[in-house]
Amino acid sequence: MPPQPAVCGYPISIFFIVVNEFCERFSYYGMRAVLVLYFRYFLKWDDDLATTIYHTFVALCYLTPILGAIVADSWLGKFKTIVYLSIVYTLGQVVMAIGAIHDITDTDRDGTPNNMTLHVALSMIGLVLIALGTGGIKPCVAAFGGDQFEDHQEKQRSTFFSIFYLSINAGSLLSTIITPILRGQECGIYSQQKCYPLAFGVPAALMVVALIVFICGSSMYIKVAPKGNIMLEVCKCIGFAVKNRFRNRSSQIPKREHWMDWANEKYDKLLIAQVKMVLKVLFLYIPLPMFWALFDQQGSRWTLQATTMNGDFGALIIQPDQMQTVNPILILALVPIMDSCLYPLIAKCKLNFTPLKRMTVGMLMAALAFFAAAVVQIQIDNTLPIFPSGNAGQIKYQNMADSLVTVTLDGKPYPVPSFQATDEYLTFDKAITVTLNGKEFLIHDGAGASCVYTKQLGFGSSFTLVIPSTFVLDADCGSRIVEVEDIKPNTIHMALQIPQYFLMTAGEVVFSVTGLEFSYSQAPSNMKSVLQAGWLLTVAVGNIIVLIIAEGAQLPDQWAEYVLFASLLVAVCIVFAIMAYFYTYIDPAAIEAQFAKMEPEDKERKRSLEMVRKDSVEQHDEKKRKESSSSSSSSEDEEKPKEGQQTKI
């Protein structure tokens, strides 16, 4: 193989891969940042349905990597898999952007789509294509980058993965800042609405750039041919062991030390030992989805929570979906603090802070984050208007006359001052009778004159502006317009979400980074991808848990749902701590080396058995040949006299 072009010891090809990853992550996280608000305010879904579809999409994004790994390793190879699925990915982003254009079905040009079914269909098709694309290339890109290095470039390969991870966080951070700003703009052909097409269109453009950049480096890549997928081999080995154990379930057959030992008849002992190590780690993965069930709600429930809060930070106005940027910012700050300060300090204190203990602490911190979110939600609920539920209704009276009006509701009088309204909405759950002392008033229209009126609107507020009958268009006309506050502005500041983001991000750093490190240290050298697939599967299952609870629990208060999730994670954390207590750490390299020494003996034993079996078969064939020869000769002796007799005749 000719030497690859290099800069500072690094293959030039990796720069194309890093740029591709940055653009792809920008595209994915940018689209995902505004997704739940798109469901809520463009497609007009309620909070529960928006949350359910959001987490269904995320779950699908973490299920498809298994398919992508199998296709890449067993059929197309990493390069073709990345290219083909990136095309699918790009099409999905484009379809999403088109589906968000309200003008394509706004036939009456009132700013509201007239055929919402078309927009929903385009959005769902786009999300499925995106999930196939982003999930399918997820296990391929990093591994393909690692393939670009020679065996003697171990240090450069390690640095590449650090830069690769940095590009992921950089793309995530920038997109989470930029796309909510784009969404906040107003655009349209016939009417100006929130610009979701732009918020989805820019990520689509970045995905086109990612695809073009990746293809441009084609001639420089080292393309390793597919060699078969180890996940399929592991599944076959496990399947054979289960099947063989079921066939030999009789009590008369001796038991074996481990149920995987029933695969000895077909598979090497080394492979069986490696599968045992993987299964031991995968067993610890069982409680982990609950952590991801809480973690991924940063993009759904927490974003919806931010829509009911005040985002005015003085010089900066924060959009609700921009609060998600707190997570990548804190990651960049907390990872070096944990690695350089906290963990060494704990080690100096001679505390046995094992990886599994770290993961347990991370889960507890995530639970605390949701308890904090519940406290914030209770504060928000105290400031929100009480909306009717069930068959109830609400009514509010506004007096447009220049004198006091008394409204009687089911016999109870409500005096309403001139140009004012009742303080609160009145709730009723039955048919009501309303009477009032009637007044007449007239609003004069100023011909050719204008009145400039300004009002600072608070986040989430709603006002009715009353123009009285005595209104005159003059220099002081604005002071005569009467404001009636329908819904009070959000008074709970978004800064109160920072503690819950801090707890969740700290939990992520302790849990996720440590979990991957632990998994790799406990896995055989050739089965890292199996554990990576298992890890991604826990994320998918966690999102499935969210959509089940969101649709099934139907709790009346959002804070109660936060407490439910936090309590479930605490319970799961206790189970995980017990499992971790009984876990015995192993050294996969030492075990593999031990089996490597045993392998020649096993081969020799198998060769001896094969020779004995071969000799036995040969002796058996020889005996049969002799018996056949003896039988043939006696038959000829019997037939010869008959021939002689016939001749004589």
Side-chain angles (χ1 to χ4, degrees):
M1 182 181 296
Q4 298 296 309
V7 175
C8 300
Y10 293 89
I12 293 180
S13 56
I14 68 163
F15 295 101
F16 293 92
I17 297 172
V18 169
V19 173
N20 165 269
E21 184 66 12
F22 169 82
C23 295
E24 188 274 327
R25 289 291 85 185
F26 186 106
S27 177
Y28 173 73
Y29 283 108
M31 177 275 304
R32 180 172 152 177
V34 301
L35 188 59
V36 74
L37 297 186
Y38 171 73
F39 292 156
R40 183 67 182 85
Y41 297 109
F42 185 88
L43 298 183
K44 307 298 183 183
W45 292 346
D46 61 30
D47 288 358
D48 287 341
L49 182 58
T51 300
T52 298
I53 301 301
Y54 174 87
H55 287 283
T56 302
F57 166 70
V58 176
L60 190 59
C61 289
Y62 284 95
L63 284 172
T64 49
I66 299 174
L67 177 64
I70 293 174
V71 170
D73 292 342
S74 305
W75 181 27
L76 293 177
K78 297 184 187 72
F79 176 77
K80 288 184 178 179
T81 301
I82 294 171
V83 171
Y84 294 159
L85 289 181
S86 292
I87 294 173
V88 173
Y89 192 169
T90 305
L91 289 174
Q93 292 280 31
V94 171
V95 171
M96 276 294 295
I98 294 174
I101 302 174
H102 66 275
D103 288 310
I104 60 176
T105 62
D106 186 13
T107 54
D108 54 7
R109 302 185 180 183
D110 63 350
T112 302
N114 296 99
N115 186 1
M116 192 61 76
T117 303
L118 176 62
H119 293 278
V120 172
L122 289 174
S123 299
M124 295 304 101
I125 292 171
L127 289 177
V128 170
L129 294 176
I130 291 170
L132 288 173
T134 187
I137 68 176
K138 192 183 292 290
C140 301
V141 180
F144 186 70
D147 290 343
Q148 307 309 305
F149 295 88
E150 304 290 343
D151 293 338
H152 65 278
Q153 295 178 302
E154 192 64 36
K155 183 179 179 181
Q156 288 89 338
R157 182 187 285 114
S158 176
T159 305
F160 160 73
F161 283 118
S162 298
I163 297 172
F164 186 84
Y165 186 72
L166 180 63
S167 70
I168 293 174
N169 283 280
S172 169
L173 177 60
L174 289 177
S175 64
T176 315
I177 293 173
I178 294 172
T179 51
I181 295 175
L182 299 177
R183 177 194 63 80
Q185 306 302 309
E186 292 189 350
C187 61
I189 301 173
Y190 307 123
S191 61
Q192 300 292 304
Q193 303 293 331
K194 292 297 182 183
C195 205
Y196 288 103
L198 184 61
F200 291 137
V202 170
L206 264 291
M207 195 57 223
V208 172
V209 173
L211 179 59
I212 293 173
V213 168
F214 185 75
I215 294 175
C216 286
S218 177
S219 61
M220 305 179 192
Y221 296 141
I222 297 175
K223 301 171 185 175
V224 179
K227 299 178 180 178
N229 190 272
I230 189 65
M231 283 190 290
L232 294 177
E233 193 68 19
V234 170
C235 292
K236 289 178 182 178
C237 183
I238 294 173
F240 180 81
V242 172
K243 190 187 300 182
N244 197 29
R245 178 67 185 91
F246 183 76
R247 289 173 181 170
N248 298 276
R249 61 187 182 277
S250 174
S251 58
Q252 299 177 352
I253 299 176
K255 294 183 178 180
R256 301 185 182 181
E257 184 179 355
H258 192 281
W259 63 271
M260 275 303 305
D261 293 332
W262 289 97
N264 282 334
E265 285 81 354
K266 186 175 180 180
Y267 293 92
D268 294 335
K269 288 186 177 179
L270 176 59
L271 177 63
I272 295 171
Q274 291 172 330
V275 173
K276 288 179 183 178
M277 288 185 271
V278 168
L279 291 175
K280 193 176 179 182
V281 177
L282 290 178
F283 178 71
L284 283 175
Y285 281 4
I286 293 175
L288 303 191
M290 201 64 222
F291 173 86
W292 299 113
L294 276 68
F295 177 82
D296 277 332
Q297 290 190 62
Q298 293 176 91
S300 58
R301 291 298 197 197
W302 286 12
T303 300
L304 292 171
Q305 184 186 63
T307 61
T308 59
M309 303 178 76
N310 182 1
D312 187 357
F313 282 79
L316 190 63
I317 302 296
I318 298 295
Q319 299 294 326
D321 33 2
Q322 283 182 314
M323 280 302 292
Q324 299 174 58
T325 59
V326 176
N327 176 257
I329 291 172
L330 287 175
I331 284 179
L332 295 176
L334 289 177
V335 168
I337 292 175
M338 295 283 190
D339 290 340
S340 304
C341 302
L342 185 60
Y343 293 154
L345 181 62
I346 293 175
K348 284 186 177 181
C349 294
K350 297 183 179 180
L351 297 175
N352 187 22
F353 199 39
T354 62
L356 292 179
K357 289 180 180 178
R358 294 183 197 175
M359 294 176 67
T360 305
V361 171
M363 295 170 79
L364 286 174
M365 295 183 78
L368 288 175
F370 261 62
F371 281 124
V375 172
V376 172
Q377 188 64 46
I378 291 172
Q379 299 299 316
I380 293 172
D381 291 345
N382 291 333
T383 64
L384 293 179
I386 300 174
F387 294 104
S389 59
N391 295 323
Q394 287 184 332
I395 189 170
K396 189 172 187 177
Y397 304 108
Q398 292 183 5
N399 181 6
M400 306 295 289
D402 56 2
S403 60
L404 178 71
V405 172
T406 300
V407 180
T408 303
L409 174 62
D410 276 356
K412 183 178 180 180
Y414 292 92
V416 185
S418 173
F419 305 123
Q420 296 296 320
T422 51
D423 292 335
E424 300 291 343
Y425 280 90
L426 307 176
T427 303
F428 58 91
D429 57 3
K430 61 180 180 179
I432 60 172
T433 302
V434 180
T435 60
L436 55 87
N437 52 333
K439 294 286 183 181
E440 294 182 0
F441 55 89
L442 179 65
I443 298 178
H444 298 277
D445 183 18
S450 62
C451 179
V452 178
Y453 176 80
T454 58
K455 169 64 181 174
Q456 185 67 34
L457 299 175
F459 284 83
S461 62
S462 175
F463 289 89
T464 298
L465 301 179
V466 180
I467 302 176
S469 58
T470 57
F471 181 76
V472 178
L473 290 170
D474 56 19
D476 196 33
C477 61
S479 63
R480 297 187 182 91
I481 296 177
V482 181
E483 303 167 0
V484 177
E485 186 181 69
D486 298 321
I487 299 177
K488 295 180 179 180
N490 302 336
T491 56
I492 305 299
H493 204 274
M494 282 186 193
L496 289 181
Q497 279 196 321
I498 294 177
Q500 67 199 53
Y501 272 102
F502 176 81
L503 288 168
M504 182 62 75
T505 307
E508 177 194 3
V509 172
V510 176
F511 175 87
S512 182
V513 177
T514 305
L516 288 172
E517 176 188 340
F518 163 77
S519 301
Y520 274 56
S521 69
Q522 298 295 291
S525 57
N526 63 335
M527 294 193 181
K528 310 292 187 186
S529 61
V530 178
L531 286 181
Q532 178 69 10
W535 184 265
L536 295 175
L537 187 61
T538 64
V539 182
V541 175
N543 282 271
I544 293 172
I545 291 173
V546 177
L547 63 94
I548 291 173
I549 293 178
E551 286 296 317
Q554 296 294 324
L555 297 174
D557 297 310
Q558 184 57 51
W559 67 264
E561 185 178 290
Y562 289 146
V563 171
L564 173 62
F565 274 108
S567 302
L568 288 173
L569 184 56
V570 170
V572 168
C573 186
I574 294 172
V575 174
F576 180 76
I578 295 172
M579 295 169 64
Y581 178 78
F582 290 101
Y583 182 84
T584 304
Y585 290 84
I586 60 174
D587 185 357
I591 295 175
E592 289 176 335
Q594 181 181 353
F595 275 93
K597 292 179 181 178
M598 294 170 57
E599 193 173 354
E601 299 176 4
D602 290 341
K603 288 183 178 179
E604 185 64 31
R605 191 181 300 111
K606 287 182 179 180
R607 192 181 295 111
S608 300
L609 290 173
E610 190 67 30
M611 291 179 64
V612 170
R613 192 182 297 111
K614 186 176 180 181
D615 291 341
S616 176
V617 170
E618 289 178 353
Q619 290 176 6
H620 181 70
D621 291 344
E622 183 66 24
K623 184 178 180 181
K624 287 186 68 176
R625 208 166 26 249
K626 288 181 179 180
E627 290 176 355
S628 176
S629 175
S630 173
S631 174
S632 176
S633 62
S634 64
S635 176
E636 289 175 0
D637 291 342
E638 290 177 1
E639 291 177 359
K640 283 180 181 178
K642 294 180 181 179
E643 290 175 359
Q645 291 172 4
Q646 290 173 355
T647 304
K648 288 177 182 178
I649 292 174

